[in-house]
Amino acid sequence: MDTRAFKRSLHHSERYNRRGFGLGEEVAGSLQTAYQSDLIATLRENGHTLQRGRLTVRLAEAFGFCWGVERAVAMAYETRRHYPSERIWITNEIIHNPSVNDHLRQMNVLFIPVEGGVKDFSDVARGDVVILPAFGATVQEMQLLNERGCHIVDTTCPWVSKVWNTVEKHKKHAFTSIIHGKVKHEETLATSSFAGTYLVVLDLAEAQMVCDYILGRGTADRDAFMARFAKACSPGFDPDRDLFRVGVANQTTMLKSETEEIGRLVERTMLERFGPVELNEHFLAFNTICDATQERQDAMFSLVDEPLDLMVVIGGYNSSNTTHLQEIAVSRGIRSFHIDTPERIGPGNRIEHMPLGAELAVEDPFLPDGPIRVGITSGASTPDRVVEDVIERLIGLTC
């Protein structure tokens, strides 16, 4: 379908809203009570450092709610205020944070059920209000909701929309979009729905496989290639045909350094195959790295350069940007714990956490004896209030 034409048509619909309802002052108190923290404000004023007894907390310079997340949550609260009695749905979690989503459930906001990995829109009726989350929704979902006569409130982050525009440019010029992302992540599903021909690569290793295939090197076997990427490409994808002209895009929450390295790798590959004169006919690149993601990752790199006894990373377990913050700590050999809620700490000196690439685990005892220096950061979907509660629990264990 012509996704650009569909978006233009949708944006002119009286049942579509992407700017909010002008109720910011009315919902500000509720948002402040639920998500802001005096303790975190004090830490920011004091060089992001807190000393309590034997505990020293070092908070990353950039962490927590980004502008896009704040905008999405505020719009969801405004939507409930604007539609006090209508049924309101969200096509997925508004953001990847359990406490925020629980607050919306308490406001009688419904979540589209998922069965067997497939969303069930059968209960959504004409006149219902449907919120699209910060990481967007597929163009097929938008089309379904529009045809059903729903009121659509679109909280998609502008940085995500920027990536959609990029892959639409690829499509317009008959380029295949190589998308650095997690193939089942909601944002990448949405991005690929706006692309024409696409291939999703998870990491540098998969990107190298693609480049080896383009150059006919190593294990450049078509059947093996398609077996590896069968669930990560557009219908009818043919690597012998569709890797002739490529552009690079990314899921906005991926590790910035890896996205940049993948872009350079693909560019070098197309340069080697087609030469400098024809490079622009075979390779397109646009900067689609989210500023907030970059700031949080840069702050994390700075924090792990400090002497730390351990690191606590706070954010939803399905939050891609939080997982990549954890990766940075692990890559430096720092004892690190990823938790989604403060309740993962305790009772006593124990912690239930998600090791990188593994299942939930428990460590008991968690904190060592003696003076301890703990680094803390949080993903872009984590409210300051949650970070405060984690710090309070650490204080309780060390004082």
Side-chain angles (χ1 to χ4, degrees):
M1 66 181 296
D2 187 339
T3 52
R4 282 179 176 267
F6 170 73
K7 283 196 300 183
R8 284 195 298 267
S9 173
L10 181 64
H11 292 177
H12 286 93
S13 169
E14 294 181 353
R15 292 181 285 101
Y16 175 84
N17 183 302
R18 59 173 173 165
R19 300 186 183 278
F21 300 96
L23 302 174
E25 291 185 3
E26 294 186 31
V27 302
S30 297
L31 292 170
Q32 181 172 357
T33 299
Y35 305 121
Q36 295 183 17
S37 159
D38 291 339
L39 175 63
I40 299 305
T42 300
L43 260 75
R44 286 191 171 102
E45 294 172 357
N46 294 326
H48 293 247
T49 301
L50 175 73
Q51 178 77 49
R52 290 288 190 276
R54 66 186 183 92
L55 173 69
T56 300
V57 170
R58 283 290 291 124
L59 193 59
E61 294 288 332
F63 64 96
F65 268 11
C66 63
W67 174 83
V69 164
E70 288 182 348
R71 171 181 173 273
V73 174
M75 285 180 68
Y77 273 63
E78 286 190 33
T79 301
R80 178 77 283 175
R81 185 68 63 93
H82 186 76
Y83 295 103
S85 57
E86 287 83 353
R87 287 204 308 175
I88 299 178
W89 301 84
I90 295 180
T91 61
N92 207 294
E93 296 179 331
I94 186 71
I95 57 175
H96 288 321
N97 183 271
S99 65
V100 176
N101 291 299
D102 285 345
H103 285 159
L104 293 178
R105 291 186 178 95
Q106 292 165 14
M107 294 161 57
N108 200 28
V109 174
L110 305 171
F111 287 67
I112 299 296
V114 179
E115 296 183 8
V118 178
K119 296 178 187 176
D120 181 4
F121 288 90
S122 59
D123 287 337
V124 180
R126 177 173 294 275
D128 284 358
V129 181
V130 183
I131 299 172
L132 310 183
F135 36 74
T138 67
V139 67
Q140 292 82 9
E141 290 173 353
M142 296 184 199
Q143 189 176 32
L144 181 153
L145 297 169
N146 185 51
E147 292 174 351
R148 195 165 292 187
C150 297
H151 298 278
I152 298 174
V153 179
D154 188 354
T155 77
T156 303
C157 175
W159 276 101
V160 175
S161 298
K162 181 180 179 181
V163 180
W164 296 352
N165 292 336
T166 293
V167 297
E168 284 181 321
K169 289 175 183 176
H170 294 166
K171 179 170 58 176
K172 178 181 179 181
H173 297 287
F175 278 66
T176 292
S177 296
I178 296 179
I179 304 169
H180 177 212
K182 299 176 180 179
V183 69
K184 293 184 180 181
H185 191 281
E186 297 88 343
E187 182 187 327
T188 294
L189 291 172
T191 296
S192 61
S193 76
F194 284 92
T197 305
Y198 67 85
L199 181 70
V200 180
V201 296
L202 175 63
D203 51 26
L204 187 61
E206 288 197 348
Q208 185 66 62
M209 293 177 191
V210 174
C211 291
D212 286 344
Y213 193 92
I214 291 172
L215 296 174
R217 290 176 178 166
T219 57
D221 176 82
R222 187 183 189 284
D223 291 340
F225 184 93
M226 290 307 300
R228 176 64 179 251
F229 294 102
K231 296 181 179 180
C233 61
S234 50
F237 184 87
D238 182 346
D240 296 320
R241 176 194 66 210
D242 297 326
L243 294 176
F244 190 71
R245 291 158 57 89
V246 301
V248 177
N250 67 292
Q251 181 181 311
T252 60
T253 54
M254 300 302 283
L255 193 62
K256 168 201 169 188
S257 57
E258 188 168 43
T259 291
E260 291 177 332
E261 193 167 355
I262 287 171
R264 290 191 294 267
L265 173 64
V266 176
E267 183 177 20
R268 289 196 305 270
T269 298
M270 304 309 278
L271 180 64
E272 180 175 345
R273 179 169 178 185
F274 298 104
V277 175
E278 296 187 22
L279 177 63
N280 290 340
E281 294 297 318
H282 297 275
F283 175 75
L284 285 176
F286 297 91
N287 179 13
T288 56
I289 296 172
C290 166
D291 280 350
T293 298
Q294 179 177 336
E295 288 171 357
R296 280 147 186 76
Q297 291 175 5
D298 290 346
M300 185 63 165
F301 278 115
S302 295
L303 183 57
V304 296
D305 280 340
E306 299 183 16
L308 300 173
D309 295 298
L310 61 91
M311 187 82 205
V312 177
V313 179
I314 312 162
Y317 291 142
N318 56 348
S319 168
S320 176
N321 76 88
T322 306
T323 301
H324 290 305
L325 295 176
Q326 171 79 335
E327 283 181 5
I328 293 170
V330 172
S331 71
R332 297 299 180 88
I334 297 174
R335 188 165 166 253
S336 182
F337 301 91
H338 178 187
I339 60 175
D340 59 344
T341 66
E343 289 73 25
R344 298 291 184 182
I345 298 175
N349 188 16
R350 72 188 293 276
I351 188 169
E352 184 179 38
H353 66 108
M354 183 77 75
L356 196 62
E359 301 297 322
L360 276 173
V362 173
E363 185 145 346
D364 187 0
F366 158 47
L367 298 178
D369 295 331
I372 182 170
R373 189 175 175 90
V374 178
I376 292 182
T377 191
S378 61
S381 298
T382 305
D384 284 359
R385 179 59 58 84
V386 172
V387 179
E388 174 187 328
D389 290 345
V390 169
I391 293 174
E392 293 288 2
R393 286 179 178 251
L394 294 175
I395 293 172
L397 288 177
T398 55
C399 292

